[in-house]
Amino acid sequence: MNEKLGKVLVIEDESKLARFVELELKHEGYDVILAEDGRAGVEKFFEEEPDIILLDLMLPQLNGIEVCRRIRKESDVPIIMLTAKGETMDKIVGLDSGADDYMTKPFAIEELFARMRVALRRNSSSHNSNVLTLKSLEIDLSRRTVNFNNNEIELTKREFELLVYLVKNKNIVISREQILNQVWGYDYIGETNVVDVYIRYLRTKIDDRFGVKLIHTIRGVGYFAKDEE
Ligand code: CA
């Protein structure tokens, strides 16, 4: 018996390409699920819990960027975007939306397999720990603890969720509205400056305490957690 390499969800509306990729992947030893538009892709993701997703950018119903965002809210499953030639701007937006990698069509199938192996390996090694990091900051998602250079930081539930959201999206600027929707929920009614207030709490407990600058403000736009020097 061939050992299965994993379950792949292919979200692609070009049926010829989808069939070709399906056959090649099955031959290689993967299980394959196909979805031919963005909405079906998101549904199949939740039903089937694939190990990796190949996601076309231009799709009916929901485009690839939106599919990627929706899946990223729930999961860090590896996502490889498939883009048409010359969609350079789209590639960048694709990576910002949380895709792990992208490939330009047409591509060599061996190249796709290689990228998939890398993405799957990267994902399984980060899964073992369930820890998010930002420089010396470590967030343990299972234990719900936060450390900076092994100093424990005590956070309220809301502060913890805000920090997790920032670090999951590190190096990406996030607007106050996005933060409100994600951390407080769409039905939140109250002062919108609650975000600024909680950012200040986090800065006091992390940046000020340890003399670092992890949380950055882009005036008039929003906030981001910075990993790079
Ligand atoms: Ca397409």
Side-chain angles (χ1 to χ4, degrees):
M1 274 281 289
N2 253 355
E3 202 194 320
K4 287 287 179 187
L5 294 176
K7 202 194 269 186
V8 189
L9 172 58
V10 180
I11 311 176
E12 168 64 76
D13 61 321
E14 259 170 77
S15 54
K16 261 173 95 175
L17 178 62
R19 281 291 298 160
F20 167 73
V21 170
E22 180 186 25
L23 289 175
E24 292 288 341
L25 287 170
K26 282 187 171 163
H27 187 251
E28 185 76 2
Y30 290 97
D31 284 323
V32 182
I33 306 138
L34 294 182
E36 57 189 23
D37 67 60
R39 200 172 299 280
V42 173
E43 279 166 18
K44 287 266 167 71
F45 165 75
F46 286 107
E47 281 166 26
E48 301 277 352
E49 300 181 349
D51 300 298
I52 185 165
I53 299 175
L54 305 179
L55 175 60
D56 182 29
L57 184 64
M58 300 301 289
L59 285 167
Q61 305 292 337
L62 291 176
N63 70 34
I65 305 284
E66 189 53 34
V67 170
C68 195
R69 289 211 177 106
R70 293 195 187 187
I71 291 173
R72 268 293 167 269
K73 280 185 194 167
E74 309 295 331
S75 161
D76 57 358
V77 62
I79 299 177
I80 299 179
M81 285 269 204
L82 309 176
T83 68
K85 221 175 193 166
E87 293 171 336
T88 320
M89 269 311 291
D90 294 327
K91 278 177 194 169
I92 294 159
V93 178
L95 291 178
D96 277 355
S97 69
D100 297 81
D101 202 353
Y102 62 83
M103 293 201 67
T104 308
K105 296 189 266 191
F107 46 77
I109 199 77
E110 289 302 331
E111 169 81 9
L112 177 66
F113 292 157
R115 304 276 193 102
M116 286 173 65
R117 284 192 294 271
V118 170
L120 284 165
R121 212 177 307 130
R122 195 189 301 137
N123 192 254
S124 70
S125 58
S126 67
H127 257 250
N128 291 339
S129 49
N130 211 14
V131 168
L132 295 173
T133 61
L134 181 77
K135 291 186 181 166
S136 305
L137 188 76
E138 272 192 10
I139 306 174
D140 188 322
L141 295 173
S142 350
R143 292 166 50 226
R144 293 186 75 88
T145 55
V146 182
N147 283 280
F148 188 92
N149 279 335
N150 299 320
N151 297 295
E152 184 152 1
I153 301 167
E154 285 193 28
L155 298 179
T156 64
K157 185 171 174 286
R158 194 76 83 182
E159 290 164 353
F160 181 83
E161 284 166 6
L162 173 58
L163 182 66
V164 167
Y165 185 56
L166 287 168
V167 174
K168 274 190 176 167
N169 294 284
K170 63 188 177 185
N171 306 318
I172 299 172
V173 179
I174 310 167
S175 70
R176 282 181 184 75
E177 289 70 34
Q178 283 173 301
I179 295 174
L180 264 185
N181 290 340
Q182 287 301 314
V183 180
W184 276 265
Y186 284 95
D187 50 358
Y188 173 78
I189 313 164
E191 300 293 325
T192 52
N193 75 358
V194 70
V195 174
D196 308 79
V197 171
Y198 272 81
I199 290 280
R200 211 176 312 135
Y201 292 158
L202 283 183
R203 281 192 172 134
T204 306
K205 290 187 175 182
I206 303 170
D207 289 17
D208 297 352
R209 178 174 164 198
F210 299 103
V212 288
K213 192 153 173 53
L214 299 182
I215 302 168
H216 295 252
T217 308
I218 304 290
R219 205 170 286 279
V221 183
Y223 296 102
F224 71 111
K226 197 171 175 199
D227 204 12
E228 297 141 2
E229 289 305 327

